[in-house]
């Protein structure tokens, strides 16, 4: 897939990534990076006695997986300027080692900027598991180049 620019997006568009299986290594590495060794994530015996019956993957790892799946889609490869934030993120269902998840990204809004070089996209992330169950969802706006903004950026780089 090639990069999309602001004018290429319309509210209601949905982009779907391929799947990715969450592994034991993912859980361990995220615990190491985050420093979150809560027993629900790290202690098999503790987690066995919870309502999940096993360790639960960090919810914030789900957010990180979503942002990684954006890269896989390729639609923001050359056009993205900056993520402007996350809001209204909800953890709907636990993520478990062995779950295979994919991202559904819906475009909520398209707002051109004053300069004509960029604009803001409203986006909804939905992380679904192998059963089609919604595990997480939330919104994230992003600043994206227009076609003209990309041309101007390229011309400036060539000078």
């Amino acid at each position: 897939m090639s990069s999309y620019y602001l004018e290429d997006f319309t509210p209601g568009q949905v982009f779907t990534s391929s799947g990715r299986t969450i592994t034991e290594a993912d859980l361990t590495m995220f615990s190491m990076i985050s420093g979150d060794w809560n027993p629900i994530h790290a202690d098999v015996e503790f987690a066995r006695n919870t309502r999940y019956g096993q360790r639960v993957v960090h919810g914030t790892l789900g957010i990180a997986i979503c942002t990684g799946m954006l890269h896989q889609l390729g639609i923001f490869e050359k056009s993205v300027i900056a993520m402007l934030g996350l809001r209204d993120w909800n953890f709907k269902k636990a993520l478990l080692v062995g779950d295979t998840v994919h991202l559904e990204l819906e475009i909520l809004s398209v707002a051109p900027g004053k300069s004509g070089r960029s604009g803001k996209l409203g986006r909804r992330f939905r992380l679904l598991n192998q059963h089609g169950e919604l595990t997480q969802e939330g919104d994230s706006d992003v600043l994206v180049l227009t076609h003209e903004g990309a041309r101007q950026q390229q011309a400036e780089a060539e000078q």
Side-chain angles (χ1 to χ4, degrees), residues 20-31 34 36 38-43 47 50 52 54-65 91 93-101 127 135-136:
R20 179 198 190 291
T21 302
I22 299 171
T23 66
E24 175 77 24
D26 294 328
L27 174 63
T28 302
M29 292 295 287
F30 197 80
S31 291
S34 68
D36 182 351
N38 186 292
I40 195 67
H41 307 305
D43 184 331
T50 68
Y52 305 105
Q54 60 181 298
R55 290 170 300 149
V56 174
V57 174
H58 305 73
T60 49
L61 177 56
I63 297 170
I65 288 171
F91 302 106
K93 186 169 181 57
L95 292 173
L96 306 171
V97 170
D99 279 352
T100 298
V101 296
L127 189 64
T135 64
Q136 297 184 9

Side-chain angles (χ1 to χ4, degrees), residues 1-4 9 14-16 71-77:
M1 175 148 305
S2 60
S3 283
Y4 281 45
F9 292 101
V14 176
F15 300 89
T16 303
H71 178 73
Q72 180 218 26
L73 290 173
I75 59 176
F76 297 108
E77 187 71 25

Side-chain angles (χ1 to χ4, degrees), residues 12 38 78 86 89 92 158:
N38 186 292
K78 296 179 181 175
L86 294 170
W89 204 273
K92 301 289 196 174
E158 291 173 357

